[in-house]
Amino acid sequence: MKTKFIALAAVIASTSFVSTPVAADDQLAMTICSYVAADSRNNLRKVLTDNRVRLSSVYNSVVCDGLPLVRHAIKHNANETAEFMLKQLSSSVVAASGDAEWAQSNGFAASPVINAIKERAAI
């Protein structure tokens, strides 16, 4: 019984040092998602600057909880961060996104981000 416990402890100890590597892109996406959800515009700006990445270049590839970044911000009531992101995106991307319609049909009609979307997209 004691040898089984020692063997199990050895296996657990040896596997605790083995970790699966996280790709840099995945880590950056997770960081962006967490800053958007926390409505931390300054931290989002800093992580983009530190990684020398433009929001417009990663916007279509970053998905947070199955939602695009602006929708993720609306869902988490991250108004300042959503408005920052909208300013970084081209008006054609904002117009084609359908974020305003999504927000209204999913119970976020009172979100101030909808007005910012409409202004940016010139809807």
Side-chain angles (χ1 to χ4, degrees):
M1 178 75 172
K2 201 173 198 181
T3 57
K4 287 182 181 178
F5 178 73
I6 292 173
L8 180 63
V11 169
I12 292 173
S14 67
T15 58
S16 65
F17 295 110
V18 177
S19 65
T20 56
V22 176
D25 293 340
D26 292 341
Q27 185 63 37
L28 179 61
M30 288 174 32
T31 303
I32 289 172
C33 290
S34 66
Y35 287 148
V36 169
D39 199 14
S40 184
R41 180 187 68 212
N42 290 332
N43 285 334
L44 176 61
R45 181 181 293 137
K46 183 172 179 3
V47 78
L48 291 171
T49 303
D50 289 349
N51 288 285
R52 295 181 179 155
V53 174
R54 296 184 62 109
L55 183 66
S56 59
S57 65
V58 297
Y59 180 76
N60 290 328
S61 61
V62 176
V63 178
C64 307
D65 295 332
L67 298 172
L69 286 171
V70 172
R71 293 180 189 186
H72 185 66
I74 293 170
K75 179 181 175 186
H76 290 283
N77 201 27
N79 301 328
E80 288 185 16
T81 304
E83 290 179 13
F84 164 73
M85 290 187 296
L86 290 169
K87 289 178 184 176
Q88 301 299 312
L89 300 172
S90 68
S91 59
S92 61
V93 169
V94 175
S97 69
D99 292 334
E101 295 81 10
W102 174 88
Q104 290 176 344
S105 66
N106 285 289
F108 300 105
S111 175
V113 177
I114 294 175
N115 291 334
I117 292 170
K118 289 180 178 179
E119 288 175 12
R120 183 72 176 137
I123 297 175

